[in-house]
Amino acid sequence: MAFAGLSRPFVIAHRGGALQVPEHTLEGYRVAVGQGLPVIEQDVSVLADGGLGVMHDGTVDRTTTSTGNVADHTSVSWKQLDIDASATLGGGWPDGLRPPLFEEVLTEFGNRVLLCAEAKSSDAMGPMIDALERRGTSPASVLLQSYALADCRLARSRGWDVIWLGSTDVARAAAEGIGWIGPEAGSVTEAVCARAHAAGVEVACHTVNRRHQRDTLVAHGVDAIFSDDPVYVAGDAGRRTSDLFARQVWLPGMLPDTGRGRFHPDDSSWGCDVSDPATSTLMGFLAPPDPAAFTLHLDLRVDEVRGDGRSSFGWVLLSTDDHPYRPSRPSPGADGYLFLLRADGALEVRRVTDGVGGTLVSSAGGTALRTGAYVPLRIGVTRSSLLFARADTVGATVTVADATHRPVPVVHLGSASAGVRFRNLVLA
């Protein structure tokens, strides 16, 4: 295993793939490796006894059930911390997950998987290199990282490749013998990549979780991409024509536009809790057989409303790509069609252009929704028209001729001023 042998661009599983697996856990790394991901990332800090703990934050508060500073733990107390993965990732993960020590990562994955390890604390780079050399880890299989130029110099002086994070200073990187720069994705341009490549420096950008953003960066010429959803961004996610909500686990591409929602194990559904601002979630794992002409069947249930029957609703957005749709905020790049089912039973179809919606057609009224009862819905897309229908009510159908946005293969689900559940999504 060697970074030199990877085709460019390649995807790095940021924190192991933190949107899909418990971040920085051996269990999460195993899943990432099992998915065929070639590179997993670690964030490494020095513990109170000189051990090396793997965790992104400077405290343990966010990812464990405890509180306090990472640096205050010893190697022993580190292994007593408890990670409750179900709190952030839903079901499907066992109890008793622990943050790993860097030595454990090297024991299981060293020389077997490509590692991309960041010196998270200011004193970590030297001990990290000591551990790598002590374990006999091949330098060809490791990319170290740091925001500190001094750390990067130390890595190079000891013969290890390193990414200078946050930098676009190509000339300085080349002069220092640093082979990689690691700017934020928003700082990457075609010119930056061209200057880097001309100087023999490669570009790894962070953090990218959407395919439309990936496509732009690849066109600019990046060599590597850090992603919290690496299977989806790599393009290797199995695209499906139906949901897997019954499994109650996050799938690649199931990403928050504004929120991520939650699973409901009592009826194998997924949904959004009641909220005043509208909420939206990308279902990037779904894909119709024919993106230009298809039917989407689904069941929608309203559990609670916060407002009147007109202002409370659940909805489906079909969009041209995976730009995030944030209904109550600007959503540049979001183009498609919004299908609304209001609590009073009315149907509405809106055209969304650059995140702004305008009504195309709506029904005068309908049978009001019963709280806790599912309503079967059907959405039809042809090359020139749209259809939206309630299958539980005769005549509850609206149609409109519009071909402004095609194809619209990307599915988002959401709600406004309502707690809503979805299940039985099928694209045909």
Side-chain angles (χ1 to χ4, degrees):
M1 296 292 291
F3 277 94
L6 285 183
S7 298
R8 270 52 170 174
F10 58 86
V11 176
I12 300 167
H14 188 235
R15 310 183 201 175
L19 283 170
Q20 298 300 323
V21 302
E23 68 177 72
H24 290 324
T25 61
L26 296 177
E27 291 80 2
Y29 293 159
R30 289 169 191 144
V31 171
V33 172
Q35 291 172 327
L37 296 167
V39 188
I40 53 176
E41 189 225 22
Q42 299 78 43
D43 294 299
V44 184
S45 295
V46 177
L47 302 177
D49 62 352
L52 296 173
V54 180
M55 185 172 289
H56 177 269
D57 299 356
T59 72
V60 303
D61 301 20
R62 180 178 61 87
T63 55
T64 78
T65 57
S66 301
T67 59
N69 296 322
V70 168
D72 293 337
H73 281 274
T74 67
S75 299
V76 174
S77 65
W78 190 251
K79 297 307 296 179
Q80 294 170 348
L81 293 170
D82 183 64
I83 295 173
D84 184 6
S86 63
T88 54
L89 295 174
W93 296 100
D95 295 330
L97 299 184
R98 312 291 185 199
L101 296 167
F102 190 49
E103 291 274 3
E104 292 178 298
V105 176
L106 298 182
T107 297
E108 182 164 349
F109 299 103
N111 293 323
R112 188 168 74 87
V113 180
L114 299 178
L115 304 178
C116 194
E118 179 183 347
K120 206 66 180 179
S121 63
S122 60
D123 54 351
M125 183 61 80
M128 286 167 56
I129 296 173
D130 292 342
L132 288 163
E133 293 176 347
R134 187 165 56 249
R135 288 284 177 179
T137 309
S138 169
S141 69
V142 177
L143 257 180
L144 299 174
Q145 316 168 60
S146 179
Y147 284 91
L149 180 56
D151 280 349
C152 295
R153 287 171 173 158
L154 174 59
R156 292 302 300 130
S157 72
R158 294 183 61 173
W160 295 83
D161 289 332
V162 65
I163 303 172
W164 185 9
L165 293 171
S167 177
T168 57
D169 190 343
V170 171
R172 186 64 178 273
E176 298 279 356
I178 297 169
W180 289 81
I181 56 173
E184 292 186 2
S187 300
V188 175
T189 65
E190 187 174 352
V192 167
C193 292
R195 288 200 308 271
H197 294 157
V201 174
E202 296 191 87
V203 181
C205 64
H206 57 94
T207 303
V208 180
N209 297 327
R210 301 273 173 158
R211 288 177 173 173
H212 77 272
Q213 189 182 22
R214 171 207 64 189
D215 293 344
T216 298
L217 292 163
V218 169
H220 287 338
V222 298
D223 302 286
I225 294 171
F226 289 86
S227 179
D228 296 316
D229 197 346
V231 173
Y232 176 69
V233 166
D236 296 330
R239 304 300 292 274
R240 297 186 51 81
T241 56
S242 61
D243 72 73
L244 284 176
F245 295 157
R247 294 188 182 178
Q248 305 282 285
V249 294
W250 303 103
L251 294 176
M254 200 170 176
L255 301 171
D257 291 335
T258 61
R260 215 174 182 197
R262 67 184 180 94
F263 295 104
H264 295 276
D266 60 313
D267 65 353
S268 300
S269 66
W270 170 92
C272 318
D273 290 333
V274 65
S275 60
D276 289 321
T279 185
S280 175
T281 304
L282 171 69
M283 300 289 152
F285 63 92
L286 289 171
D290 180 354
F294 60 89
T295 300
L296 171 61
H297 299 273
L298 70 149
D299 297 336
L300 185 155
R301 160 181 162 176
V302 172
D303 286 336
E304 183 182 358
V305 298
R306 184 176 293 169
D308 58 32
R310 295 291 296 172
S311 61
S312 302
F313 48 84
W315 52 261
V316 177
L317 173 70
L318 300 178
S319 63
T320 56
D321 63 21
D322 65 357
H323 271 84
Y325 178 59
R326 304 180 177 98
S328 57
R329 289 184 284 158
S331 303
D335 297 324
Y337 299 97
L338 195 64
F339 300 83
L340 286 74
L341 174 62
R342 300 186 184 277
D344 66 3
L347 302 171
E348 182 177 341
V349 180
R350 297 178 182 175
R351 182 199 300 133
V352 176
T353 301
D354 214 26
V356 179
T359 300
L360 291 173
V361 64
S362 61
S363 62
T367 302
L369 306 187
R370 286 192 303 111
T371 300
Y374 278 96
V375 176
L377 300 172
R378 178 166 57 95
I379 296 171
V381 177
T382 71
R383 287 165 174 77
S384 60
S385 65
L386 306 162
L387 175 147
F388 189 26
R390 288 179 61 171
D392 65 333
T393 306
V394 175
T397 302
V398 294
T399 59
V400 62
D402 190 278
T404 305
H405 301 306
R406 292 295 190 284
V408 284
V410 180
V411 179
H412 310 243
L413 303 177
S415 67
S417 299
V420 175
R421 301 188 189 194
F422 299 86
R423 69 180 185 185
N424 298 330
L425 277 75
V426 178
L427 287 156

